[in-house]
Amino acid sequence: MSLTSSIERIGRRLAFRPILAGASLRDRMIACLGGFTGIGLTALVGRLTMHGLDPHTSLMIAAPLGASAVMVFVVPASPMTQPWSIIGGHVVSALTGLVAAHLVSEPTLAAGVAVGAAIATMSLCRCLHPSGGGTALLPVLGGGAVQTLGWSFALLPIGLNAVTLTVAAWVFHRLISGHSYPHKAASAAPDATIEDTDIDAALAGMGGPMDASRADLKTLAQRALDHARTRRR
C-alpha cells in the first residue's frame, strides 16, 4: 500500500474529508505546494518592485492575494479563478475601492459601498473574483500607505501582484499539477443527450449558482449518465 493511500485512509477515519467533489489528498498536497510557490514568488516580485516606492515594503503584496492563491491552486477549473477573473477582478475592485474612499468620508459606509460596487463592477466586466471584495476594502481601510500611492495603487502593487500570481499558477499547473489552466472544458461524448437547456433547467432547480462553468457541468452530467448506463448493463 502506498504512503498516499495510507494517509488518505487515516484522513477518512479522522473525518478530514474534502468538501469538494473529486478532491484527493494528492490534490491538496499539490495545492499546498502551489500556494507556497505562488505567494512566495508574488511577494518577492512585489518586494523588488515596490522597495523604491515604499522602503518598508509594507505593500509588497496585498492580503487578498492569499485568498486568490487558495482558489487558483485548489480549484483551477473555477470560472472565478481564470486569468481575467483574477487580474481584472483585483484591478477593477481596487479602482472601485479608491473611488468609494474618495467619495464617502465615513469609513463604515465607504466599506459597504466599496464591496457592493466592486461586485457590480466585476460582474459587468465579467471578471467576478471573490478576493476582489477584500481588495476593494484596502483603499478604505488601508490608511496612509494606500493613500500615498493614490490611483497607482490599482497597478502597483495590486495589478503586479495579480499578474505575477496568475503567471505563477499557469507555470505551476502546466509543469507540476497537470491541471488545465487556463481551464478548458473537456468535450462531451459525441452522442450526448444532455443539452445546454437541460443544464440551465437543472441549475434553476438548484436555487443558486454553482462554482463551475456550464460546459463542465454538461460534461460531468453526460459522463455520469454514461457510467450509469454501463453499470446497469
Coordinates of all heavy atoms in Angstrom, one line a residue, residues 61-100:
I61 N 2.9 42.9 -1.1 CA 1.8 42.0 -1.6 C 0.5 42.3 -0.8 O 0.6 42.6 0.4 CB 2.2 40.5 -1.4 CG1 1.1 39.6 -2.0 CG2 2.4 40.2 0.1 CD1 1.6 38.1 -2.0
A62 N -0.6 42.4 -1.5 CA -1.9 42.7 -0.9 C -2.4 41.4 -0.3 O -2.4 40.3 -0.9 CB -2.8 43.2 -1.9
A63 N -3.0 41.5 0.9 CA -3.5 40.4 1.7 C -4.5 39.5 0.9 O -4.5 38.3 1.0 CB -4.1 40.8 3.0
P64 N -5.5 40.2 0.1 CA -6.5 39.4 -0.6 C -5.9 38.4 -1.6 O -6.5 37.4 -2.0 CB -7.3 40.4 -1.3 CG -7.2 41.6 -0.5 CD -5.8 41.6 0.0
L65 N -4.6 38.6 -2.0 CA -4.0 37.6 -2.9 C -3.8 36.3 -2.3 O -3.7 35.2 -3.0 CB -2.6 38.2 -3.4 CG -2.6 39.0 -4.7 CD1 -2.9 38.1 -5.9 CD2 -3.5 40.2 -4.6
G66 N -3.8 36.2 -0.9 CA -3.7 34.9 -0.3 C -5.0 34.1 -0.6 O -4.9 32.9 -0.8
A67 N -6.1 34.7 -0.6 CA -7.4 34.0 -0.9 C -7.4 33.6 -2.4 O -7.9 32.5 -2.7 CB -8.6 34.9 -0.6
S68 N -6.8 34.5 -3.2 CA -6.7 34.1 -4.7 C -5.9 32.9 -4.9 O -6.2 32.0 -5.7 CB -6.2 35.3 -5.4 OG -7.0 36.4 -5.4
A69 N -4.8 32.8 -4.1 CA -3.9 31.6 -4.2 C -4.7 30.4 -3.8 O -4.5 29.3 -4.5 CB -2.7 31.8 -3.3
V70 N -5.5 30.4 -2.8 CA -6.2 29.2 -2.4 C -7.1 28.8 -3.5 O -7.2 27.6 -3.8 CB -7.1 29.5 -1.1 CG1 -8.0 28.4 -0.8 CG2 -6.2 29.8 0.1
M71 N -7.8 29.7 -4.1 CA -8.7 29.4 -5.2 C -8.0 28.8 -6.5 O -8.4 27.8 -7.0 CB -9.6 30.6 -5.6 CG -10.5 31.0 -4.5 SD -11.8 32.2 -5.1 CE -12.7 31.1 -6.2
V72 N -6.9 29.5 -6.9 CA -6.3 29.2 -8.2 C -5.5 27.9 -8.1 O -5.4 27.2 -9.1 CB -5.4 30.3 -8.7 CG1 -4.1 30.4 -7.9 CG2 -5.1 30.2 -10.2
F73 N -5.1 27.5 -6.9 CA -4.4 26.3 -6.8 C -5.2 25.1 -6.3 O -4.9 23.9 -6.5 CB -3.2 26.4 -5.8 CG -2.1 27.3 -6.4 CD1 -1.9 28.6 -5.9 CD2 -1.3 26.9 -7.5 CE1 -0.9 29.4 -6.4 CE2 -0.4 27.7 -8.0 CZ -0.1 29.0 -7.5
V74 N -6.4 25.4 -5.7 CA -7.3 24.3 -5.2 C -8.3 24.0 -6.3 O -8.6 22.9 -6.5 CB -7.9 24.7 -3.9 CG1 -9.0 23.7 -3.5 CG2 -6.9 24.8 -2.8
V75 N -8.9 25.1 -6.8 CA -10.0 24.9 -7.8 C -9.6 25.6 -9.1 O -10.3 26.6 -9.5 CB -11.4 25.3 -7.3 CG1 -11.9 24.2 -6.3 CG2 -11.3 26.6 -6.6
P76 N -8.6 25.2 -9.8 CA -8.2 25.9 -11.0 C -9.2 25.9 -12.2 O -9.1 26.7 -13.1 CB -6.9 25.2 -11.4 CG -7.0 23.9 -10.9 CD -7.7 24.0 -9.6
A77 N -10.2 25.0 -12.1 CA -11.2 25.0 -13.1 C -12.4 26.0 -12.9 O -13.2 26.2 -13.8 CB -11.8 23.6 -13.2
S78 N -12.4 26.6 -11.7 CA -13.5 27.5 -11.4 C -13.5 28.7 -12.4 O -12.4 29.3 -12.7 CB -13.4 28.0 -10.0 OG -14.3 29.1 -9.8
P79 N -14.6 29.1 -12.9 CA -14.7 30.3 -13.7 C -14.2 31.6 -13.0 O -13.7 32.5 -13.6 CB -16.2 30.5 -14.0 CG -16.7 29.1 -13.8 CD -15.9 28.5 -12.7
M80 N -14.2 31.6 -11.6 CA -13.8 32.7 -10.9 C -12.3 32.7 -10.6 O -11.8 33.6 -9.9 CB -14.5 32.8 -9.6 CG -16.0 33.2 -9.8 SD -16.9 33.6 -8.2 CE -17.0 31.9 -7.5
T81 N -11.5 31.7 -11.1 CA -10.1 31.7 -10.9 C -9.3 31.8 -12.2 O -8.1 31.5 -12.3 CB -9.7 30.4 -10.2 OG1 -10.0 29.3 -10.9 CG2 -10.3 30.4 -8.8
Q82 N -10.0 32.1 -13.3 CA -9.3 32.2 -14.6 C -8.5 33.5 -14.7 O -8.8 34.4 -13.9 CB -10.3 32.1 -15.7 CG -11.1 30.8 -15.7 CD -10.2 29.5 -15.6 OE1 -9.4 29.3 -16.4 NE2 -10.4 28.8 -14.5
P83 N -7.6 33.6 -15.6 CA -6.7 34.7 -15.6 C -7.4 36.1 -15.6 O -7.0 37.0 -14.8 CB -5.9 34.5 -16.9 CG -5.8 33.1 -17.0 CD -7.1 32.6 -16.5
W84 N -8.4 36.3 -16.4 CA -9.1 37.6 -16.4 C -9.8 37.8 -15.2 O -9.9 39.0 -14.7 CB -10.0 37.7 -17.6 CG -10.9 38.9 -17.6 CD1 -12.3 38.9 -17.6 CD2 -10.5 40.3 -17.6 NE1 -12.7 40.2 -17.6 CE2 -11.6 41.1 -17.5 CE3 -9.2 40.9 -17.5 CZ2 -11.6 42.4 -17.5 CZ3 -9.2 42.3 -17.5 CH2 -10.3 43.0 -17.4
S85 N -10.4 36.8 -14.6 CA -11.1 36.9 -13.3 C -10.1 37.4 -12.2 O -10.5 38.3 -11.4 CB -11.7 35.6 -12.9 OG -12.7 35.2 -13.8
I86 N -8.9 36.8 -12.1 CA -8.0 37.2 -11.1 C -7.5 38.6 -11.3 O -7.5 39.5 -10.5 CB -6.9 36.2 -11.0 CG1 -7.4 34.9 -10.5 CG2 -5.8 36.7 -10.0 CD1 -6.3 33.8 -10.4
I87 N -6.9 38.8 -12.5 CA -6.3 40.1 -12.8 C -7.3 41.3 -12.9 O -7.2 42.3 -12.2 CB -5.5 40.0 -14.1 CG1 -4.4 39.0 -14.0 CG2 -4.9 41.4 -14.5 CD1 -3.7 38.7 -15.3
G88 N -8.4 41.0 -13.7 CA -9.4 42.1 -13.8 C -10.1 42.3 -12.6 O -10.4 43.4 -12.2
G89 N -10.4 41.2 -11.8 CA -11.2 41.3 -10.6 C -10.5 42.2 -9.6 O -11.1 43.0 -8.9
H90 N -9.2 41.9 -9.4 CA -8.4 42.7 -8.4 C -8.2 44.2 -8.8 O -8.4 45.1 -8.0 CB -7.0 42.1 -8.2 CG -7.1 40.9 -7.2 ND1 -7.4 41.1 -5.9 CD2 -6.8 39.6 -7.4 CE1 -7.3 39.9 -5.3 NE2 -7.0 39.0 -6.2
V91 N -7.9 44.4 -10.1 CA -7.7 45.8 -10.6 C -8.9 46.6 -10.5 O -9.0 47.7 -10.0 CB -7.0 45.8 -12.0 CG1 -6.9 47.2 -12.5 CG2 -5.6 45.2 -11.9
V92 N -10.0 46.0 -11.0 CA -11.3 46.7 -11.0 C -11.8 47.0 -9.6 O -12.3 48.1 -9.3 CB -12.4 45.8 -11.8 CG1 -13.8 46.3 -11.5 CG2 -12.1 45.9 -13.3
S93 N -11.6 46.0 -8.7 CA -12.0 46.2 -7.3 C -11.2 47.3 -6.7 O -11.7 48.1 -5.8 CB -11.9 44.9 -6.6 OG -12.8 43.9 -7.1
A94 N -9.9 47.3 -7.0 CA -9.0 48.4 -6.4 C -9.5 49.7 -6.8 O -9.6 50.7 -6.0 CB -7.6 48.1 -6.8
L95 N -9.8 49.9 -8.1 CA -10.3 51.2 -8.6 C -11.6 51.5 -8.0 O -11.8 52.7 -7.6 CB -10.4 51.1 -10.1 CG -9.1 51.0 -10.9 CD1 -9.4 50.8 -12.4 CD2 -8.3 52.3 -10.7
T96 N -12.5 50.6 -7.8 CA -13.8 50.8 -7.2 C -13.6 51.2 -5.7 O -14.3 52.2 -5.3 CB -14.6 49.5 -7.2 OG1 -14.8 49.1 -8.6 CG2 -16.0 49.8 -6.7
G97 N -12.7 50.6 -5.0 CA -12.4 51.0 -3.7 C -11.8 52.4 -3.5 O -12.2 53.1 -2.6
L98 N -11.0 52.7 -4.5 CA -10.4 54.1 -4.5 C -11.5 55.1 -4.7 O -11.5 56.2 -4.0 CB -9.3 54.2 -5.6 CG -8.0 53.5 -5.3 CD1 -7.2 53.4 -6.5 CD2 -7.2 54.1 -4.2
V99 N -12.4 54.9 -5.6 CA -13.5 55.8 -5.8 C -14.4 55.9 -4.6 O -14.7 57.0 -4.2 CB -14.3 55.3 -7.0 CG1 -15.6 56.2 -7.2 CG2 -13.5 55.4 -8.3
A100 N -14.7 54.8 -4.0 CA -15.5 54.8 -2.8 C -14.8 55.6 -1.6 O -15.5 56.4 -0.9 CB -15.8 53.4 -2.3

